[in-house]
Amino acid sequence: MKTIKKDIKGIIPPLITPFTKKGILDEKALRGEVQFMLKSRVDGLSFGGSTGEGALLSIDEIESGITILKEENHRDIPIICGIISNSTNDAIKKGLAAKKAGADGLMVTPTFYHGTDDIGNIAYFQALSDEVQLPIIIYNVIDKNPVTPDLMMKILPVKNVIGIKQSVGGLHAVNAMIAACGKQTKVFAAQDDVLFCSYLLGTAGAISAILTVFPELCVQQWEAVQSGDIGKAKEIHFRLYPVWKLISSAGMSFPGRLKAIIKILGRDAGFPRQPIFEPSKEVVGQLRNALVNENLLPGQ
């Protein structure tokens, strides 16, 4: 394993990015979410990923968001910045902005519009490593430009690549990635419906949307697996599963549902950035009912 300043592992919620109705970063609401996560004993914080509508953020917003996380991070846990870009130059600019603001690492998707081949992908992560000099977790979520286990093995010699977040392909893909690369690098769980099973396979932790909704429960589940209390971890899995099914059914507009359910739980999630919208009253009712059925509402 490669040496880094902070050990990046365990439960790392990918924070929402709260916006005002006019689409401006809501700094007060973001600070509130950071404080909530820290009280929930999470092992790290991520900003600017898919959950945080990262593809819709400007470089200035990335820098502002990471600055807020850094200012609120009284526990000094790792801060990871999502980089979702379509060119090497743009990714480097975002990475340098995140580093300037205090990020401890980057979570980087392959390019997603044109994509590239293996040579291009290796060069992309090599350039980020050389220019930004921060640990890199590859965010394997782009169907058009997937990082296969074979490609990951080719990328691993890049100095600052320290792991991969396996976000597609179900348990088969998690298993294949761990089997190929698990002894050389960290594999993070990221598919919300199979987190529990992914932990059993040996992932280094998780960076996944459901962690942002229920950080305390997800910390309990992770700790239960680590201590061998499989029954408790399994029970938490089946409580969270029906809620996640409703959130994920929105497809790539899921941040709207995610923010709606966080509001139901009593936290200030702000608004999604257009063209993502809040769900209908009918869907909000379904989300509330799912929480009630699984005794997940505060005070239940």
Side-chain angles (χ1 to χ4, degrees):
M1 296 290 183
K2 299 177 184 180
T3 303
I4 54 175
K5 291 182 179 179
K6 293 184 180 179
D7 194 8
I8 300 172
K9 64 179 182 179
I11 298 302
I12 305 173
L15 296 174
I16 59 167
T17 304
F19 297 105
T20 67
K21 285 185 177 180
K22 293 184 177 180
I24 299 170
L25 178 65
D26 188 333
E27 295 189 5
K28 181 180 178 181
L30 180 57
R31 290 182 189 278
E33 278 296 283
V34 175
Q35 292 164 8
F36 181 79
M37 297 299 160
L38 293 172
K39 290 177 183 176
S40 301
R41 300 187 298 111
V42 300
D43 300 299
L45 297 169
S46 173
F47 177 79
S50 300
T51 300
E53 299 165 73
L56 311 181
L57 298 177
S58 68
I59 293 175
D60 287 344
E61 288 169 333
I62 286 173
E63 186 170 341
S64 295
I66 294 296
T67 297
I68 289 169
L69 268 64
K70 184 71 173 179
E71 290 173 351
E72 298 294 335
N73 185 18
H74 61 85
R75 286 179 46 213
D76 196 30
I77 57 178
I79 295 174
I80 311 301
C81 182
I83 305 293
I84 306 174
S85 296
N86 271 313
S87 75
T88 303
N89 287 342
D90 182 61
I92 289 171
K93 289 177 182 177
K94 289 179 178 178
L96 289 172
K99 183 177 183 179
K100 177 183 175 183
D104 298 297
L106 306 177
M107 182 178 71
V108 185
T109 67
T111 56
F112 60 89
Y113 189 80
H114 291 291
T116 185
D117 56 15
D118 284 7
I119 294 173
N121 277 312
I122 295 166
Y124 180 70
F125 291 109
Q126 183 70 64
L128 272 171
S129 173
D130 292 343
E131 295 295 330
V132 184
Q133 292 292 322
L134 281 179
I136 295 171
I137 297 170
I138 295 175
Y139 182 6
N140 193 15
V141 71
I142 308 300
D143 289 333
K144 185 176 180 179
N145 190 9
V147 178
T148 64
D150 287 344
L151 174 56
M152 186 62 187
M153 289 299 292
K154 296 175 184 176
I155 295 173
L156 279 180
V158 174
K159 177 182 176 182
N160 290 302
V161 171
I162 57 99
I164 184 166
K165 173 182 170 181
Q166 185 61 40
S167 298
V168 291
L171 276 178
H172 292 291
V174 176
N175 183 61
M177 193 63 72
I178 291 175
C181 311
K183 292 182 180 179
Q184 291 90 3
T185 195
K186 294 180 179 181
V187 179
F188 290 88
Q191 299 167 89
D192 301 78
D193 56 341
V194 293
L195 292 182
F196 166 57
C197 304
S198 299
Y199 300 158
L200 296 179
L201 285 171
T203 54
I207 309 171
S208 187
I210 201 71
L211 278 56
T212 299
V213 184
F214 303 108
E216 187 171 359
L217 263 182
C218 291
V219 168
Q220 290 177 20
Q221 183 184 48
W222 170 253
E223 291 178 344
V225 172
Q226 305 313 302
S227 66
D229 192 348
I230 303 305
K232 179 178 179 179
K234 184 177 178 181
E235 177 188 3
I236 293 172
H237 165 79
F238 282 114
R239 289 181 69 192
L240 298 182
Y241 179 66
V243 178
W244 175 249
K245 281 183 67 178
L246 280 173
I247 295 172
S248 62
S249 62
M252 289 310 294
S253 294
F254 81 94
R257 292 194 180 196
L258 204 70
K259 288 179 174 178
I261 205 164
I262 288 173
K263 287 181 180 179
I264 295 170
L265 290 168
R267 289 144 53 195
D268 184 2
F271 298 87
R273 174 168 274 177
Q274 293 186 22
I276 301 171
F277 285 90
E278 292 186 291
S280 66
K281 290 182 180 180
E282 178 184 1
V283 170
V284 171
Q286 293 171 357
L287 292 169
R288 182 179 293 277
N289 288 338
L291 293 173
V292 171
N293 291 340
E294 299 302 328
N295 296 313
L296 291 169
L297 277 179
Q300 274 191 296

